[in-house]
Amino acid sequence: MRRTRSRRTGWPPPRAGTIDLACPAPTAIPCQFFALTLTGAWEELPSPRPHHNPAAAATDHALTTARNITIGYFATDAIPAAARINTLLGRPTDISHLSVRLVWGQAHLTAPPDVVHAALSHQRHLHELEQRHAEHLRRLDEAHTLRDTLMSDPSLALAYWFASAPQSIDTDTLPRLEALLSTAAAYAPQGQWAPLARLLHTFAHRLTDEAKNHLIDTLAALTDRYGHPDLTTAIQHARKTPEAKTRPQ
């Protein structure tokens, strides 16, 4: 509706008009679009420097508002996206630095079936990725818990090593294991890795060279990881010492 010119200001009669257009609007997935229908009304504000094309300014403002919102929604969320747009466009808004007011605007959004199907597939894929990531974090946490548990008790570490290397078990394993655990129980588990390394070397005397080296290298790597390079050196030296190779059980 046109407003009458104010005789006191001397400005020309303000212009007014409507918005009615249809165009694509982006969704949260690249190359997938809503079908946007946008309607509304605008009016010019009195100004000594009126805008040359107030209809274009009002349309650009309404369209930019709508597209900035739709890009954050999947094609399956046409209704909430339209509600958000209409919440912002449903009240008069003076366009910054321009002598134009958007009196009201209204958007209607739809999405073709193939776009909706693609959005559902994408959301399902995202959910699967989140599930796998959560499972990875759970397994990692379990691994850290297992590591801390094994490091707290040498007997547990030894039992786990045999569980992971069953080929090293023979008919004499149980008696030798019982004797070793009884001896190792006298050591504090917090730092006596070098003496325990010798006990383990004695215990593993009948194992193959490959199995022995694996056990000793594993203990050396653990002591180095937890800040005891001196014990690491002692363990590695024990493997290289001829005395350690010939010491009887």
Side-chain angles (χ1 to χ4, degrees):
M1 183 175 69
R2 294 183 178 276
R3 297 177 300 176
T4 59
R5 180 175 60 179
S6 172
R7 294 181 179 178
R8 288 180 297 178
T9 61
W11 286 325
R15 293 166 288 180
T18 60
I19 299 172
D20 189 358
L21 63 88
C23 66
T27 71
I29 303 177
C31 301
Q32 295 186 13
F33 299 90
F34 290 109
L36 168 65
T37 300
L38 186 64
T39 57
W42 58 270
E43 66 180 9
E44 187 180 30
L45 300 177
S47 171
R49 292 187 298 273
H51 195 283
H52 176 69
N53 192 340
T59 301
D60 175 72
H61 172 77
L63 188 58
T64 300
T65 300
R67 290 168 65 90
N68 285 344
I69 291 174
T70 62
I71 200 170
Y73 286 83
F74 291 107
T76 50
D77 295 327
I79 293 177
R84 178 60 181 162
I85 295 169
N86 293 331
T87 297
L88 298 182
L89 297 184
R91 61 193 177 197
T93 304
D94 293 348
I95 302 175
S96 299
H97 309 298
L98 301 178
S99 56
V100 180
R101 172 181 293 151
L102 179 68
V103 181
W104 63 271
Q106 183 170 344
H108 178 68
L109 293 174
T110 58
D114 60 325
V115 174
V116 173
H117 178 72
L120 288 172
S121 299
H122 182 76
Q123 289 173 285
R124 188 179 302 111
H125 177 66
L126 290 180
H127 176 70
E128 292 173 354
L129 288 179
E130 291 176 358
Q131 292 292 100
R132 287 199 291 269
H133 181 65
E135 178 65 14
H136 172 72
L137 293 179
R138 185 187 66 80
R139 291 176 180 269
L140 188 62
D141 184 64
E142 289 179 351
H144 289 163
T145 300
L146 176 62
R147 179 201 63 189
D148 294 342
T149 301
L150 295 179
M151 288 297 296
S152 69
D153 189 339
S155 63
L156 291 178
L158 182 62
Y160 179 79
W161 183 79
F162 273 108
S164 62
Q167 70 276 7
S168 62
I169 300 177
D170 55 29
T171 56
D172 296 329
T173 295
L174 184 59
R176 288 156 48 205
L177 181 59
E178 291 176 346
L180 176 64
L181 294 181
S182 297
T183 305
Y187 290 90
Q190 287 78 15
Q192 302 295 334
W193 286 101
L196 181 58
R198 290 188 176 276
L199 289 173
L200 293 176
H201 191 276
T202 301
F203 167 73
H205 179 70
R206 298 182 184 179
L207 301 179
T208 64
D209 290 341
E210 182 179 358
K212 292 177 185 178
N213 292 336
H214 175 71
L215 174 59
I216 296 174
D217 289 342
T218 298
L219 292 174
L222 289 173
T223 56
D224 183 65
R225 179 185 301 175
Y226 286 90
H228 294 281
D230 53 332
L231 298 182
T232 301
T233 302
I235 293 173
Q236 294 171 339
H237 179 72
R239 187 180 72 174
K240 299 176 182 178
T241 303
E243 179 184 7
K245 296 182 179 179
T246 59
R247 180 175 297 179
Q249 286 185 289

